[in-house]
Short mmCIF file of all heavy atoms in Angstrom, two decimals:
data_model
loop_
_atom_site.label_atom_id
_atom_site.label_comp_id
_atom_site.label_asym_id
_atom_site.label_seq_id
_atom_site.Cartn_x
_atom_site.Cartn_y
_atom_site.Cartn_z
N GLU G 41 95.16 44.99 172.68
CA GLU G 41 94.68 45.94 171.76
C GLU G 41 93.23 45.88 171.47
O GLU G 41 92.44 46.83 171.44
CB GLU G 41 95.38 45.83 170.28
CG GLU G 41 96.84 46.25 170.33
CD GLU G 41 97.02 47.71 170.70
OE1 GLU G 41 96.26 48.58 170.27
OE2 GLU G 41 97.92 47.93 171.46
N CYS G 42 92.67 44.62 171.49
CA CYS G 42 91.21 44.45 171.41
C CYS G 42 90.54 45.01 172.56
O CYS G 42 89.51 45.75 172.47
CB CYS G 42 90.92 42.98 171.30
SG CYS G 42 89.27 42.52 171.41
N LEU G 43 91.02 44.71 173.82
CA LEU G 43 90.40 45.24 175.00
C LEU G 43 90.44 46.77 175.10
O LEU G 43 89.55 47.44 175.51
CB LEU G 43 91.04 44.48 176.26
CG LEU G 43 90.78 43.05 176.37
CD1 LEU G 43 91.61 42.47 177.39
CD2 LEU G 43 89.21 42.80 176.72
N ASN G 44 91.62 47.30 174.55
CA ASN G 44 91.76 48.73 174.49
C ASN G 44 90.72 49.40 173.62
O ASN G 44 90.01 50.34 173.94
CB ASN G 44 93.19 49.14 174.13
CG ASN G 44 93.45 50.56 174.19
OD1 ASN G 44 93.25 51.22 175.18
ND2 ASN G 44 93.89 51.16 173.04
N LEU G 45 90.57 48.76 172.44
CA LEU G 45 89.60 49.33 171.54
C LEU G 45 88.14 49.21 172.08
O LEU G 45 87.45 50.21 172.01
CB LEU G 45 89.58 48.44 170.27
CG LEU G 45 88.48 48.78 169.17
CD1 LEU G 45 88.73 50.15 168.62
CD2 LEU G 45 88.41 47.68 168.11
N LEU G 46 87.88 48.08 172.75
CA LEU G 46 86.52 48.03 173.35
C LEU G 46 86.37 48.97 174.59
O LEU G 46 85.24 49.40 174.79
CB LEU G 46 86.31 46.54 173.82
CG LEU G 46 86.15 45.54 172.66
CD1 LEU G 46 86.15 44.13 173.23
CD2 LEU G 46 84.94 45.81 171.82
N SER G 47 87.44 49.27 175.25
CA SER G 47 87.25 50.18 176.39
C SER G 47 87.04 51.59 175.86
O SER G 47 86.41 52.37 176.53
CB SER G 47 88.52 50.20 177.22
OG SER G 47 89.68 50.77 176.60
N ILE G 48 87.53 51.89 174.67
CA ILE G 48 87.24 53.18 174.02
C ILE G 48 85.86 53.23 173.35
O ILE G 48 85.10 54.23 173.59
CB ILE G 48 88.37 53.56 173.00
CG1 ILE G 48 89.71 53.71 173.67
CG2 ILE G 48 88.01 54.81 172.17
CD1 ILE G 48 90.91 53.71 172.75
N LYS G 49 85.63 52.20 172.49
CA LYS G 49 84.35 52.35 171.74
C LYS G 49 83.08 51.75 172.54
O LYS G 49 81.96 52.02 172.20
CB LYS G 49 84.58 51.42 170.50
CG LYS G 49 85.47 52.03 169.48
CD LYS G 49 85.56 51.13 168.25
CE LYS G 49 84.27 51.42 167.43
NZ LYS G 49 84.25 50.80 166.09
N GLY G 50 83.41 50.84 173.48
CA GLY G 50 82.29 50.36 174.26
C GLY G 50 81.83 49.02 173.59
O GLY G 50 81.56 48.00 174.32
N ILE G 51 81.64 48.98 172.30
CA ILE G 51 81.14 47.81 171.61
C ILE G 51 81.73 47.87 170.19
O ILE G 51 81.96 48.90 169.67
CB ILE G 51 79.55 47.85 171.64
CG1 ILE G 51 79.12 46.45 171.28
CG2 ILE G 51 79.00 48.89 170.75
CD1 ILE G 51 77.64 46.17 171.64
N SER G 52 81.91 46.70 169.61
CA SER G 52 82.45 46.62 168.34
C SER G 52 82.11 45.34 167.61
O SER G 52 81.68 44.44 168.32
CB SER G 52 83.97 46.78 168.39
OG SER G 52 84.49 46.95 167.09
N THR G 53 82.30 45.24 166.33
CA THR G 53 82.08 44.04 165.58
C THR G 53 83.38 43.24 165.48
O THR G 53 84.46 43.91 165.54
CB THR G 53 81.56 44.28 164.16
OG1 THR G 53 82.60 44.95 163.48
CG2 THR G 53 80.25 45.08 164.13
N PRO G 54 83.34 41.90 165.31
CA PRO G 54 84.63 41.26 165.08
C PRO G 54 85.33 41.77 163.88
O PRO G 54 86.57 41.77 164.00
CB PRO G 54 84.12 39.77 164.88
CG PRO G 54 82.84 39.75 165.65
CD PRO G 54 82.27 41.01 165.47
N LYS G 55 84.68 42.17 162.92
CA LYS G 55 85.40 42.64 161.69
C LYS G 55 86.21 43.85 162.01
O LYS G 55 87.36 44.05 161.64
CB LYS G 55 84.44 42.97 160.58
CG LYS G 55 84.98 43.50 159.25
CD LYS G 55 83.99 43.80 158.18
CE LYS G 55 84.67 44.35 156.99
NZ LYS G 55 83.67 44.65 155.96
N ASP G 56 85.60 44.85 162.75
CA ASP G 56 86.37 46.08 163.17
C ASP G 56 87.44 45.74 164.08
O ASP G 56 88.52 46.37 164.00
CB ASP G 56 85.35 47.00 163.85
CG ASP G 56 84.41 47.76 162.81
OD1 ASP G 56 84.73 47.70 161.52
OD2 ASP G 56 83.38 48.38 163.20
N ILE G 57 87.31 44.79 164.91
CA ILE G 57 88.30 44.30 165.84
C ILE G 57 89.51 43.79 165.04
O ILE G 57 90.65 44.05 165.27
CB ILE G 57 87.83 43.30 166.91
CG1 ILE G 57 86.91 44.08 167.86
CG2 ILE G 57 89.02 42.73 167.62
CD1 ILE G 57 86.08 43.10 168.77
N GLY G 58 89.20 43.02 164.02
CA GLY G 58 90.27 42.42 163.12
C GLY G 58 90.98 43.52 162.41
O GLY G 58 92.16 43.50 162.31
N LEU G 59 90.24 44.58 161.89
CA LEU G 59 90.89 45.60 161.28
C LEU G 59 91.90 46.37 162.18
O LEU G 59 92.96 46.77 161.87
CB LEU G 59 89.92 46.60 160.61
CG LEU G 59 89.13 46.05 159.43
CD1 LEU G 59 88.02 46.99 159.10
CD2 LEU G 59 90.09 45.79 158.28
N TYR G 60 91.42 46.64 163.42
CA TYR G 60 92.17 47.39 164.45
C TYR G 60 93.43 46.59 164.89
O TYR G 60 94.48 47.13 165.03
CB TYR G 60 91.28 47.63 165.68
CG TYR G 60 91.97 48.48 166.65
CD1 TYR G 60 92.13 49.90 166.46
CD2 TYR G 60 92.39 47.90 167.85
CE1 TYR G 60 92.72 50.64 167.50
CE2 TYR G 60 92.96 48.66 168.82
CZ TYR G 60 93.09 50.02 168.62
OH TYR G 60 93.74 50.72 169.60
N THR G 61 93.22 45.28 165.02
CA THR G 61 94.46 44.45 165.59
C THR G 61 95.32 43.88 164.41
O THR G 61 96.36 43.50 164.69
CB THR G 61 93.91 43.26 166.35
OG1 THR G 61 93.08 42.49 165.49
CG2 THR G 61 93.14 43.71 167.63
N GLY G 62 94.77 44.00 163.21
CA GLY G 62 95.58 43.46 162.11
C GLY G 62 95.43 41.93 161.92
O GLY G 62 96.25 41.37 161.17
N LEU G 63 94.52 41.30 162.72
CA LEU G 63 94.41 39.92 162.55
C LEU G 63 93.38 39.49 161.45
O LEU G 63 92.45 40.23 161.03
CB LEU G 63 93.78 39.32 163.89
CG LEU G 63 94.60 39.45 165.16
CD1 LEU G 63 93.80 39.08 166.42
CD2 LEU G 63 95.93 38.73 165.03
N THR G 64 93.64 38.26 160.97
CA THR G 64 92.62 37.71 159.95
C THR G 64 91.32 37.44 160.70
O THR G 64 91.19 37.37 161.98
CB THR G 64 93.12 36.40 159.41
OG1 THR G 64 93.25 35.42 160.47
CG2 THR G 64 94.53 36.60 158.63
N SER G 65 90.28 37.11 159.97
CA SER G 65 89.05 36.73 160.63
C SER G 65 89.14 35.53 161.51
O SER G 65 88.57 35.48 162.56
CB SER G 65 87.93 36.62 159.51
OG SER G 65 88.11 35.59 158.68
#
Side-chain angles (χ1 to χ4, degrees):
E41 290 301 318
C42 173
L43 293 166
N44 184 55
L45 174 69
L46 293 172
S47 72
I48 294 167
K49 290 185 73 172
I51 196 162
S52 189
T53 65
K55 181 180 179 179
D56 285 344
I57 292 169
L59 290 172
Y60 183 77
T61 59
L63 296 175
T64 64
S65 62

